[in-house]
Amino acid sequence: MFKKYDQKQQFLLPLRLERFVPENHIARILNDVIEAVDTTAIESTYSEDGSPAYHPLLMLKILLYGYMINIRSSRNIQKMTCTDTAFMYLAAMQQPDFRTICRFRASHLDSIKDIFAQVVIVCKEMGMLGAGKASIDGTKIKANASVRQSKDADALDKEINKIHKEINKILEESIEIDEEEDEKYGDSTPYQIPEELVDKNKRLAMIQAAKKKLEEQQLNKINVTDNDAKIMKHKDGTKKPSYNGQVAVDNKEQVIVAADLVDEENDVHQMDPMIQHIQAILGYKPTIVLADAGYFSYDNIELLIQEGIDAYIPDNLFEVEKRGKAKWFMKSLFRYDEEKDCYYCPAGIVMPFERIQKRPDKPDLKFYGCKFCSQCVLKNACTKSENRTVSKDPREHLLVNMRVKLKTKEGKDLYKERMYTVEPVFGQMKQNRGFREFLLRGKKKAKVEFLMMCVVHNIGKIAGALKKSGMNLNETLENGIQGVNQTGIDMKNVAMGA
Ligand code: SF4
């Protein structure tokens, strides 16, 4: 006996679209969250004239769901709206063309910042944020560009010359063909630009634009395919054209409360902007900030103290010193004598003041040197130079105080918490959702992709929180949206970086 199998069966009662996906499916939660956010800013960009457009809610939902399940190309999303029940449900059985999907993504770049901010507020109103503890970190994500296309000025010039030669050759051949055809058919043959010439001209324009940018920004190298991307070193040691995705994650439920994408490899300049992003979205600054050594600088520590934020950020040598893996005697082994303004080295030899180094926008750096290293039995552990010198920054007490804080039990626990908070967020993005490379080129478009990933991350967290608490989604979201309005934040002005 078999169950009845009839692909041509007709339904007596009309099917409800919602039956396509189970009630607790992530697509349902994504649907409800996006239904709840305010999309009037996107809607207002549509004209009343012309044929009706696909509803922006539909477009947003299928794009975000695509990002959630690692289907990001507009062609694949279009295909899924024909074959995948979750996409069919989100699109209400409509099938926008891939060009329409692509155009929507490109023309509403700025709106995704607004959507991201609103979803964060929903999380906040659902009680998913803690008492202002944020972990800040960055991750390198490969740009949609090959490393071979990163070139210096000489390589660009060589390629420009090569293409010029190829273009001239094509033109000469075309002229010959034209003359032959003119002889055969008279001069009425319409002149057509050879296809390969169009391609060469396009490539030439790209390289010339890259060269101009390289000169303007005084860069050593530039990527021809995506000239906003910069060569960055990834955790596996490889160097690729990339962007640096920055997030601030609330420690309670791993909700991303601020996000940005920058083209600077180093994280050190991102502390202030991230604090500003958190303030713009939540309306308050974090009370505690946890970050790795990439964010340590005297400027950052001073800024956080001024802002009244309790920071836990090790300096670069903190871990090395803690593990006792330093190659040379660490600075902490040299004792400073304030009265005599000199250091005493580990061998007890006095190191008098030698010179001052002036630095733009920073306090002067003072240097102290030993003159007896060549006679010292500890030299092999101290320096490979003729004599050891140590520098003194007048803000060194900030580093010393931070180290003291990090060595306390509370400091150790908090710093560990950073690891459990922010690192899994990148793991989920890259491992679970396969977001290891951008699809779109240029910083502005890449930033939209990164923010989309952050939105779907937070929607995933909302789904997890609902499952854990057994809360009613609609009721909770209603409260969330009241909260969005109550915060009084003008979402249009939520800053997410340029
Ligand atoms: S090498 Fe020089 S600075 Fe180092 S311990 Fe010996 S004397 Fe002191």
Side-chain angles (χ1 to χ4, degrees):
M1 269 295 273
F2 295 108
K3 285 186 181 176
K4 194 179 169 209
Y5 176 64
D6 178 6
Q7 288 180 297
K8 295 199 170 92
Q9 66 180 300
Q10 306 246 330
F11 294 98
L12 287 175
L13 291 169
L15 263 182
R16 275 171 67 89
L17 272 175
E18 282 161 344
R19 290 203 55 193
F20 279 12
V21 273
E23 208 169 319
N24 56 357
H25 194 278
I26 188 75
R28 285 271 202 121
I29 292 162
L30 183 146
N31 180 73
D32 293 351
V33 172
I34 299 305
E35 280 288 335
V37 299
D38 181 2
T39 52
T40 46
I42 303 182
E43 286 161 36
S44 65
T45 60
Y46 285 77
S47 153
E48 290 288 317
D49 307 325
S51 53
Y54 286 102
H55 200 287
L57 280 176
L58 178 165
M59 303 301 288
L60 257 179
K61 288 177 195 172
I62 57 171
L63 267 167
L64 286 169
Y65 186 62
Y67 275 76
M68 187 167 257
I69 61 165
N70 196 22
I71 293 175
R72 290 184 283 145
S73 96
S74 41
R75 278 186 168 80
N76 285 340
I77 292 175
Q78 183 194 341
K79 272 185 215 156
M80 297 305 269
T81 59
C82 309
T83 57
D84 183 279
T85 51
F87 275 98
M88 286 156 89
Y89 158 69
L90 293 170
M93 302 296 284
Q94 295 178 51
Q95 285 142 14
D97 176 56
F98 74 90
R99 288 183 201 88
T100 313
I101 298 170
C102 201
R103 223 173 11 246
F104 179 88
R105 181 163 42 190
S107 29
H108 297 289
L109 298 176
D110 291 330
S111 306
I112 191 67
K113 299 173 192 170
D114 182 22
I115 305 291
F116 170 75
Q118 291 194 57
V119 174
V120 173
I121 299 298
V122 170
C123 295
K124 180 185 167 203
E125 295 304 316
M126 284 175 68
M128 292 170 66
L129 305 190
K133 211 187 291 171
S135 296
I136 296 176
D137 205 357
T139 188
K140 314 287 186 303
I141 303 164
K142 189 184 169 291
N144 183 355
S146 153
V147 72
R148 278 178 292 131
Q149 291 301 322
S150 291
K151 297 172 193 264
D152 59 17
D154 285 348
L156 289 174
D157 280 338
K158 265 186 206 158
E159 192 153 354
I160 289 171
N161 288 337
K162 192 177 152 214
I163 296 177
H164 272 307
K165 276 184 197 160
E166 286 167 358
I167 288 175
N168 286 339
K169 198 171 161 231
I170 295 167
L171 281 174
E172 277 165 23
E173 283 169 3
S174 308
I175 290 166
E176 274 174 32
I177 293 167
D178 278 353
E179 282 172 357
E180 274 174 30
E181 286 184 351
D182 283 350
E183 254 179 50
K184 257 196 205 164
Y185 311 114
D187 56 7
S188 59
T189 322
Y191 178 76
Q192 283 182 340
I193 300 172
E195 232 170 73
E196 49 179 333
L197 188 59
V198 176
D199 290 345
K200 298 269 179 223
N201 275 326
K202 263 193 207 161
R203 173 92 185 139
L204 184 63
M206 267 172 82
I207 298 168
Q208 282 169 333
K211 171 100 192 292
K212 192 166 166 243
K213 198 166 175 180
L214 177 120
E215 285 166 355
E216 279 170 2
Q217 297 186 5
Q218 299 178 342
L219 304 168
N220 292 330
K221 271 189 174 185
I222 194 161
N223 192 280
V224 177
T225 325
D226 181 346
N227 48 52
D228 286 342
K230 300 277 161 23
I231 294 286
M232 296 183 191
K233 193 171 178 183
H234 287 237
K235 270 195 176 152
D236 61 4
T238 56
K239 288 185 175 182
K240 302 167 196 162
S242 308
Y243 292 99
N244 183 353
Q246 294 283 313
V247 294
V249 180
D250 185 89
N251 282 32
K252 188 177 175 190
E253 299 277 355
Q254 296 178 344
V255 170
I256 301 174
V257 290
D260 200 359
L261 189 80
V262 295
D263 55 11
E264 197 178 327
E265 182 173 15
N266 205 316
D267 294 328
V268 76
H269 296 126
Q270 306 313 323
M271 180 55 76
D272 189 20
M274 289 308 286
I275 301 288
Q276 301 308 325
H277 294 334
I278 299 173
Q279 160 95 54
I281 291 173
L282 295 177
Y284 55 79
K285 287 177 183 154
T287 49
I288 297 179
V289 159
L290 315 171
D292 67 18
Y295 292 85
F296 184 94
S297 74
Y298 291 136
D299 287 349
N300 283 345
I301 304 301
E302 271 182 337
L303 172 101
L304 291 163
I305 292 171
Q306 274 165 23
E307 300 278 1
I309 298 170
D310 191 14
Y312 292 82
I313 310 171
D315 60 276
N316 272 323
L317 295 174
F318 178 72
E319 286 297 323
V320 180
E321 202 166 330
K322 216 169 74 180
R323 287 188 204 125
K325 291 206 169 157
K327 200 171 168 195
W328 308 106
F329 285 157
M330 300 296 295
K331 169 86 180 292
S332 55
L333 297 173
F334 293 73
R335 185 174 60 81
Y336 181 64
D337 186 326
E338 201 163 354
E339 216 173 281
K340 294 182 184 152
D341 188 25
C342 70
Y343 274 92
Y344 290 96
C345 76
I349 308 290
V350 67
M351 297 172 78
F353 165 73
E354 276 186 346
R355 65 189 166 89
I356 277 185
Q357 185 191 329
K358 297 265 176 208
R359 298 180 298 175
D361 307 323
K362 281 181 185 169
D364 296 345
L365 201 60
K366 290 171 89 176
F367 284 87
Y368 300 78
C370 180
K371 293 189 170 52
F372 305 100
C373 296
S374 56
Q375 299 153 38
C376 179
V377 288
L378 300 174
K379 187 170 186 299
N380 285 344
C382 190
T383 182
K384 64 174 180 180
S385 307
E386 198 180 332
N387 282 304
R388 173 80 188 249
T389 52
V390 291
S391 62
K392 181 165 174 49
D393 189 301
R395 297 179 291 178
E396 248 171 46
H397 61 280
L398 298 173
L399 179 144
V400 174
N401 294 346
M402 181 60 77
R403 285 185 171 198
V404 170
K405 236 168 54 161
L406 286 163
K407 282 177 187 165
T408 62
K409 183 177 179 315
E410 192 197 4
K412 282 180 193 163
D413 291 347
L414 278 169
Y415 197 65
K416 255 189 225 154
E417 216 177 300
R418 181 205 75 87
M419 223 159 61
Y420 303 136
T421 303
V422 72
E423 290 181 7
V425 170
F426 293 138
Q428 284 156 22
M429 255 188 212
K430 290 183 169 179
Q431 302 302 327
N432 304 355
R433 302 212 159 95
F435 188 61
R436 291 193 192 85
E437 184 172 344
F438 287 100
L439 180 78
L440 305 178
R441 289 174 182 155
K443 185 176 158 193
K444 200 173 172 191
K445 290 181 182 173
K447 188 182 282 195
V448 170
E449 280 200 85
F450 185 65
L451 287 179
M452 283 183 138
M453 288 310 296
C454 294
V455 172
V456 299
H457 169 87
N458 284 347
I459 292 176
K461 290 290 157 193
I462 291 175
L466 290 170
K467 201 173 164 192
K468 219 171 14 178
S469 67
M471 286 189 286
N472 176 295
L473 179 66
N474 288 328
E475 235 177 61
T476 315
L477 287 177
E478 257 171 41
N479 290 337
I481 291 315
Q482 273 172 18
V484 173
N485 297 332
Q486 280 163 10
T487 56
I489 297 170
D490 181 355
M491 289 300 179
K492 288 186 196 91
N493 291 332
V494 169
M496 298 300 305

